[in-house]
Amino acid sequence: MRNFWNLRLNKKIALFFWLSTLFAHAQSSDPEVGNGKDEKYLYPVNPGQPGSLAGNMGELRTTHFHSGIDVRTNNMIGAKVHASKSGYITRVSMSPSGYGNIIYVKHPDGNTTLYAHLDHFVEPLATHVLQEQYFRKTFSIDLTFDKNQFPVKQRDVIAISGNSGSSGGPHLHFDIRNSDNLALNPLLFKFPEIKDQTPPLVEKVALTTLDINSRINDQYGRFEFYAYRSGNDYTIASPILAYGNIGVEVLAKDKFLLKDQFFGGVNYIDMRVNGVLHFKQAIEQINTEETRGIYTLMDYKVLRTTGKRFYKLYLDDGNTLPFYESTNKGKIHVDPKKDTRIELFLRDAFANTTKVAFNLRPSPLATELKNLSAPREPNVDIDENIMSITTKKCLNQNTVTVYQQGGRTLIYPSYASSTAAVFLIDLRKNLPDSILVCEKSIITNLITTIPSTVDYKYYSDWIDITFSADALYDTLFLRAKRSANGEVYTVGDRSIPLNKSITISLKPSREYTKDKRLAVYRKSGNSYAYLGGEWINGRINFQTRELGDFVILTDYEAPRIQPILINSYKARLKIRDDLSGIQSYEATLNGEWLLMHYDAKTATIWSEQLDKSQPLKGQFKLDVTDNAGNIETFTSTIQ
């Protein structure tokens, strides 16, 4: 970066801002002149030397698509980060989570490059940001600039790489975004530092039935098959028996180097049915404002239950992502007279390609099966519109009784073996209150059917739920219940994704004292996530973007503060809260505000003075507040 400034710190903040403004206008009035719109993008770390990646654009993360590439820095903090192209810094941001410390650089071609998880900025930007933090009295900050303030030339060092924000280890996250803020694939810009001759790796193929009359190996449901490797290609040796409408999923990843532990996602997948292109996925641009659409690309239920990220090669009704070309939305209708040949072609940005091939062999609907094991207890599951009940066979009983709104219906098994039976119920026709199986009653807790794309409100004497028109990806058959002691409220299942937040109003069965520390939490195992809530007329109202179990708790415990190092050079401490979480913190030195950086993943804060020539000396005070309003104070006298 061109260094036109040589600021000398002064104790008066007003003077700093006056100097900043003066020198900003003294710089080039048009930084784009002579910068070269035809510059090729430069690899941002150690340009010209062999590089390696820890993640690629389009990779499937738990809650979003990865929007850029993760550039490895040998697991170390301190690599120089270069401007990939000439232009000017348009925005910087600092946060304890997410991208951490970020720089955005706008270029003459209209694109913007983003550099994230930085350790720190370089001068003169570093001083300007520090001044703004002290002026606004905040660590978290988001600043924008005009083109005359911080111009850069290609290859200028603009920052030092780090591990800030929600980074899983030291690296540089690098994006290239167009004028519509769509993230482009940086690997398509052909950085010579990155070599990749390894085709994508395939672990499993999954097949799923798409309606009540479809079968895989004579059964309804979803089934996984290991793919066996032969050279660069994979196969499933034996034909898979199938009937009706079938969806294909694939579990795959792209290794950058064969012996490397790092891998990314697969951006290009073609599926051919009997030699004809049936489905095509090409992830080359990502809308960074609509990241939750990833829930429709992945099998979200499998992600929640196993952590595996399967690519769906068919389109659910709620999938509006722009990555696809397809016939019949990728859904396969099995030919009832001959084998259906399925071929998957998985390709990375370097055109390395892997093929997976297998056959679907037609098998007519069967009502009697040989290999169907009986569970100890009836197993009830809901997938899309179908409820399946798998149970052991009962003596002198060949049906289950479905109760709905005072009426009852006898259901015969869809298929069975000598020991087990499977009953399939179309929830669009029957929404059971309870089911009698082998003289045992199963309460379904199904309370209502909620259509997608419309506003919907559900009312009851213990819970009200409001869905906006864009909250759901698909029709929801909602299950809800309250535990026997009235302390746990179950609303839906975590395996069902929400696009937008819903509003829930709970009316507790017991009295709660009015206490600002009382709030709603989402419960997952032994962990709790703070959601807050507002009490109105005996009900507590809150919003959530995830279904599951909810509880009302009171957080009586203040945060914990643990000093690590406090001397005349720096104050470093750990701050933690066991329930509601950290809301805010503030440090002072002799009554004057002191900047404390915060890294949420390590729960660490550390000081940075405006005037670095002055030692930390005097009375240090730190107040930490949690989301429930509890405050912990730490004081120390620094000699």
Side-chain angles (χ1 to χ4, degrees), residues 203 216 233 394 416 542 548 566 597 599 605 613 616-617:
E203 183 178 337
I216 297 165
D233 295 337
C394 312
F542 66 98
I566 299 178
H597 292 258
D599 184 66
I605 61 173
S613 67
L616 287 176
K617 187 175 181 180

Side-chain angles (χ1 to χ4, degrees), residues 3 25 74-75 138 236 252 278 307 313 316 340 349-350 416 437 439 456 566 587:
N3 190 351
H25 288 289
N74 295 322
N75 204 34
T138 179
I236 299 173
H278 192 73
L313 306 186
D316 288 327
T340 301
F350 295 83
V437 181
E439 299 182 351
Y456 189 93
I566 299 178

Side-chain angles (χ1 to χ4, degrees), residues 369-426:
L369 307 184
K370 292 182 179 180
N371 300 316
L372 182 63
S373 58
R376 292 184 178 181
E377 298 292 333
N379 179 28
V380 179
D381 190 26
I382 295 177
D383 183 37
E384 298 287 340
N385 303 314
I386 308 302
M387 171 181 281
S388 62
I389 306 164
T390 305
T391 179
K392 63 183 179 181
K393 270 195 169 180
C394 312
L395 293 176
N396 303 318
Q397 184 177 342
N398 194 37
T399 62
V400 298
T401 305
V402 174
Y403 293 90
Q404 178 183 4
Q405 296 180 348
R408 67 176 186 172
T409 306
L410 294 180
I411 303 292
Y412 288 88
S414 297
Y415 53 88
S417 68
S418 60
T419 60
V422 174
F423 301 84
L424 301 177
I425 300 173
D426 189 335

Side-chain angles (χ1 to χ4, degrees), residues 262-457:
F262 299 99
F263 57 85
V266 182
N267 289 15
Y268 302 94
I269 304 177
D270 290 356
M271 179 171 67
R272 293 185 175 270
V273 178
N274 295 326
V276 179
L277 183 65
H278 192 73
F279 179 90
K280 182 182 184 68
Q281 169 193 293
I283 304 176
E284 295 182 334
Q285 297 183 354
I286 291 173
N287 185 343
T288 58
E289 301 299 324
E290 295 292 339
T291 60
R292 289 177 76 89
I294 192 173
Y295 294 154
T296 61
L297 180 144
M298 287 190 293
D299 192 313
Y300 186 74
K301 187 174 183 178
V302 174
L303 172 68
R304 278 299 191 193
T305 54
T306 70
K308 301 292 186 181
R309 296 170 171 85
F310 278 81
Y311 291 87
K312 285 185 175 181
L313 306 186
Y314 59 95
L315 303 181
D316 288 327
D317 292 340
N319 188 341
T320 59
L321 293 169
F323 306 146
Y324 308 108
E325 298 175 17
S326 68
T327 300
N328 193 32
K329 294 188 174 182
K331 301 172 183 179
I332 299 169
H333 183 73
V334 179
D335 191 319
K337 296 182 180 180
K338 63 180 181 180
D339 282 6
T340 301
R341 182 67 170 175
I342 308 297
E343 294 172 308
L344 312 180
F345 297 88
L346 297 89
R347 179 168 57 89
D348 63 21
F350 295 83
N352 302 303
T353 303
T354 294
K355 177 183 175 182
V356 185
F358 57 95
N359 287 344
L360 299 180
R361 180 153 294 170
S363 177
L365 284 175
T367 56
E368 292 294 328
L369 307 184
K370 292 182 179 180
N371 300 316
L372 182 63
S373 58
R376 292 184 178 181
E377 298 292 333
N379 179 28
V380 179
D381 190 26
I382 295 177
D383 183 37
E384 298 287 340
N385 303 314
I386 308 302
M387 171 181 281
S388 62
I389 306 164
T390 305
T391 179
K392 63 183 179 181
K393 270 195 169 180
C394 312
L395 293 176
N396 303 318
Q397 184 177 342
N398 194 37
T399 62
V400 298
T401 305
V402 174
Y403 293 90
Q404 178 183 4
Q405 296 180 348
R408 67 176 186 172
T409 306
L410 294 180
I411 303 292
Y412 288 88
S414 297
Y415 53 88
S417 68
S418 60
T419 60
V422 174
F423 301 84
L424 301 177
I425 300 173
D426 189 335
L427 296 179
R428 293 169 297 183
K429 300 177 181 179
N430 295 289
L431 195 67
D433 304 319
S434 63
I435 302 168
L436 185 64
V437 181
C438 297
E439 299 182 351
K440 180 178 180 179
S441 181
I442 299 174
I443 306 300
T444 67
N445 298 305
L446 287 165
I447 59 172
T448 188
T449 301
I450 304 176
S452 60
T453 70
V454 298
D455 293 330
Y456 189 93
K457 293 185 179 182

Side-chain angles (χ1 to χ4, degrees), residues 9 11 609-615:
L9 292 176
K11 295 181 181 179
Q609 290 177 273
L610 183 59
D611 186 350
K612 295 181 175 62
S613 67
Q614 297 297 315

Side-chain angles (χ1 to χ4, degrees), residues 99-120:
Y99 279 137
N101 302 335
I102 324 170
I103 292 178
Y104 298 78
V105 178
K106 182 73 175 290
H107 307 291
D109 61 3
N111 290 343
T112 295
T113 49
L114 178 152
Y115 312 77
H117 303 307
L118 303 171
D119 184 71
H120 61 271

